[in-house]
Amino acid sequence: MEDDLSQALNSVSLEQKGSTMDTFGLYVVTWNVATAEPPDDVNSLLQLSSPKKPDLYVIGLQEVKAAPLKFVTDLAFEDSWSHLFMNSLALLGYIKVSSIRMQGLLLLFFSKLEHVPFIRDIQVTYTRTGLYGYWGNKGGVSIRLSFYGHMLCFLNCHLTAHMNYASQRVDEFEYILNAQTFDSKNTPCILDHKAVFWFGDLNFRIEDHGMLFVRNCITSQRYNLLWPKDQLTMMKQKEATLRKFEEGPLDFQPTYKFDLNSDDYDTSGKKRKPAWCDRILWTVKPESSPSEDANEDQEEQHKNEFPLKLSQEYYTSKMEYGISDHKPVISIFQLELRKMYKTPLVQVCAEGEWSADFDALITYSPLQSFPSSAWDWIGLYKVGFKSVSDYVTYTWVKDDQVSFSDELFQVYVNKDEIPVLGGECMLGYYSSNLQCIVGISQPFKVQESRVAIEEGLVPENINGLDETVAS
């Protein structure tokens, strides 16, 4: 795992070199966790031992426990599921770039460190559909962003349950598509994005067939006999919006409803019929045809010069997890695209020697124009940090500025904010307007405090002080 982290650190540079078209791995997870606490590990769920690591992880959960007191605590300190995923992925050089939670719906976006300065224009939003739109137990949460200039949107949904509500599920989905808007001229709506990933507990069931026939098909692995009566497949024939979305073949057994800690389908008195409730679909916006408007045509031509191709490599369930009555579903995609930019917006670096014995200097220089703000800040991170907010300390780029020219700016960091024990660190420039890190420094060494050593602070005390400063 240390090798993975070192490789990620070495990949942070001013120029990202590669061929004309680059390929990126995207790993998507959806799981209705039925208010359960997380399992001991998610190695199998995320395939962390696989030699081929994806560039991005997108994880959508439904029914995360949202009791009032726990929900308030989670909002303040991160929920236990987010902690587990962050702790597991940080060891491999991934950081949590963005997340959104609406009651039991949780959506997390992770990236390899090397891509972080090229993930921009992040916006999140949510839509309630439970209790006539007033309650968030059902609905959708989304994260949209620019990945090397290509606009992507990820939508995690939990739609209404029960066999007889297939049409209502479609209505809810279309309502979510119409209700969710973004502050963007070119991509104000979900379907305006170049690629959209729609996943979650969509709750579509298997119609008509009796329990015995369904279970026999599952036992004999003749899943294709059930596909024609899958409600989502059936509704696609009627609804144009659904036909825009693709899905891989359902070559895995239905993921609902299981007895807990078991591979046995529902043995309770209700004996619910198995169904593929948990799904992952996608759509890619087609290339535009020439327009009569010259300006519009020029813009569309620019888009077509930077194509995006998407292919699904893998689509299956993870049967080994039994803490919920749903099994998780995963999909691995390959994104092939031409980068619209290869240089971060800001170059940032640590000046001179750093320790808690004296104030430190940071130098940064904008490499491209971008909407900077007085609310921009530069964070000091320990190597292996877990998320954008997992900084040791930060400094405001305007308030703490000590000198500047047209191309070079210097800001200081108060010595009292620097870790006493030192360690391997890096700097990240955060843009409040773009809601992301737009520049990352090379790793550098923060020296142990000589003053603390000379004053005879024992290691335990230094550790305690270090933790206090970090918090």
Side-chain angles (χ1 to χ4, degrees):
M1 287 189 177
E2 289 181 1
D3 291 339
D4 291 292
L5 189 56
S6 299
Q7 185 177 357
L9 293 172
N10 292 331
S11 300
V12 178
S13 61
L14 291 183
E15 285 294 333
Q16 302 291 309
K17 298 180 180 179
S19 59
T20 302
M21 294 287 284
D22 293 278
T23 302
F24 303 91
L26 167 65
Y27 195 109
V28 180
V29 178
T30 181
W31 192 5
N32 182 324
V33 299
T35 74
E37 284 301 305
D40 292 335
D41 75 80
V42 287
N43 193 307
S44 173
L45 178 66
L46 304 180
Q47 297 185 3
L48 299 182
S49 301
S50 171
K52 187 179 180 182
K53 300 289 191 297
D55 297 272
L56 308 170
Y57 277 97
V58 178
I59 301 166
L61 304 181
Q62 307 85 42
E63 292 194 26
V64 175
K65 191 171 184 179
L69 181 59
K70 179 171 177 53
F71 184 61
V72 171
T73 305
D74 287 350
L75 287 178
F77 302 106
E78 297 271 16
D79 62 278
S80 54
W81 283 94
S82 295
H83 272 296
L84 175 62
F85 288 122
M86 287 193 293
N87 291 338
S88 301
L89 289 170
L91 295 172
L92 297 173
Y94 297 89
I95 75 163
K96 190 190 79 173
V97 176
S98 184
S99 65
I100 180 171
R101 174 143 183 213
M102 179 184 73
Q103 289 182 219
L105 274 167
L106 176 64
L107 180 57
L108 305 165
F109 182 93
F110 292 86
S111 168
K112 282 183 176 178
L113 184 62
E114 66 196 83
H115 304 307
V116 169
F118 305 97
I119 299 171
R120 305 173 187 171
D121 196 15
I122 301 170
Q123 296 183 45
V124 300
T125 190
Y126 63 89
T127 304
R128 303 183 186 97
T129 59
L131 201 62
Y132 306 102
Y134 290 100
W135 192 241
N137 64 318
K138 296 291 194 295
V141 293
S142 63
I143 297 174
R144 61 74 60 94
L145 50 86
S146 165
F147 183 67
Y148 289 99
H150 297 263
M151 299 307 299
L152 311 178
C153 187
F154 303 90
L155 174 61
N156 173 26
C157 288
H158 191 186
L159 304 180
T160 195
H162 304 304
M163 177 71 74
N164 299 327
Y165 290 101
S167 295
Q168 185 174 333
R169 286 188 270 278
V170 176
D171 291 343
E172 286 180 350
F173 174 55
E174 292 182 337
Y175 173 75
I176 291 168
L177 289 180
N178 293 327
Q180 295 200 358
T181 57
F182 304 97
D183 183 16
S184 171
K185 176 186 175 184
N186 295 323
T187 52
C189 301
I190 289 176
L191 292 179
D192 294 324
H193 292 74
K194 188 168 281 189
V196 178
F197 299 85
W198 172 38
F199 47 91
D201 179 2
L202 308 185
N203 254 322
F204 289 102
R205 309 303 171 99
I206 297 172
E207 287 192 358
D208 297 343
H209 296 308
M211 179 71 79
L212 182 61
F213 179 81
V214 170
R215 293 205 173 193
N216 284 339
C217 289
I218 295 170
T219 302
S220 61
Q221 297 186 4
R222 292 181 297 168
Y223 307 126
N224 60 304
L225 298 181
L226 302 175
W227 295 347
K229 292 301 180 179
D230 167 68
Q231 287 181 334
L232 181 52
T233 303
M234 295 169 69
M235 295 302 290
K236 270 191 167 189
Q237 299 172 9
K238 303 177 184 178
E239 302 290 340
T241 302
L242 295 182
R243 285 197 295 275
K244 295 178 181 178
F245 287 84
E246 298 181 60
E247 184 180 20
L250 297 167
D251 283 330
F252 52 91
Q253 66 186 82
T255 53
Y256 175 84
K257 171 182 170 79
F258 289 88
D259 292 341
L260 295 184
N261 301 306
S262 167
D263 289 342
D264 297 328
Y265 285 103
D266 188 12
T267 59
S268 71
K270 294 183 178 180
K271 287 188 171 56
R272 290 184 180 88
K273 189 162 50 170
W276 285 290
C277 291
D278 310 284
R279 314 286 277 267
I280 300 172
L281 298 92
W282 74 94
T283 182
V284 176
K285 194 175 182 182
E287 291 186 3
S288 306
S289 56
S291 166
E292 294 180 3
D293 188 314
N295 291 332
E296 185 178 332
D297 190 39
Q298 187 176 10
E299 183 178 320
E300 293 303 331
Q301 183 180 353
H302 173 72
K303 291 180 182 177
N304 292 340
E305 287 175 358
F306 293 93
L308 181 148
K309 298 178 182 178
L310 182 62
S311 59
Q312 186 182 56
E313 289 196 335
Y314 200 50
Y315 187 34
T316 191
S317 62
K318 288 288 185 177
M319 291 294 295
E320 59 267 40
Y321 290 93
I323 60 173
S324 167
D325 54 358
H326 292 250
K327 300 295 184 183
V329 171
I330 64 115
S331 180
I332 301 174
F333 296 93
Q334 289 296 316
L335 284 168
E336 188 179 358
L337 55 86
R338 183 178 297 147
K339 296 175 182 176
M340 293 189 188
Y341 40 73
K342 300 181 180 181
T343 304
L345 294 176
V346 175
Q347 180 181 3
V348 58
C349 61
E351 289 292 322
E353 184 179 336
W354 278 53
S355 84
D357 296 333
F358 40 78
D359 295 343
L361 279 179
I362 298 170
T363 298
Y364 75 91
S365 54
L367 301 178
Q368 301 174 45
S369 62
F370 71 99
S372 60
S373 162
W375 296 103
D376 290 358
W377 48 269
I378 297 174
L380 175 66
Y381 295 92
K382 289 289 187 71
V383 165
F385 67 101
K386 302 172 186 176
S387 71
V388 173
S389 59
D390 186 26
Y391 47 75
V392 176
T393 186
Y394 63 89
T395 182
W396 299 105
V397 297
K398 299 297 184 185
D399 290 355
D400 299 317
Q401 187 172 285
V402 292
S403 66
F404 67 94
S405 65
D406 291 340
E407 298 180 353
L408 193 65
F409 299 82
Q410 280 191 328
V411 295
Y412 81 96
V413 179
N414 190 294
K415 63 182 181 181
D416 295 334
E417 302 292 328
I418 297 174
V420 174
L421 272 184
E424 290 293 319
C425 294
M426 48 202 322
L427 299 168
Y429 184 112
Y430 184 85
S431 166
S432 61
N433 283 326
L434 298 178
Q435 294 287 293
C436 60
I437 291 176
V438 295
I440 296 177
S441 76
Q442 293 291 334
F444 63 96
K445 175 78 172 177
V446 175
Q447 303 297 328
E448 288 185 357
S449 168
R450 295 189 185 94
V451 172
I453 295 171
E454 289 170 1
E455 291 182 357
L457 287 175
V458 294
E460 301 92 80
N461 292 342
I462 295 177
N463 274 316
L465 181 57
D466 187 49
E467 289 172 7
T468 302
V469 171
S471 64

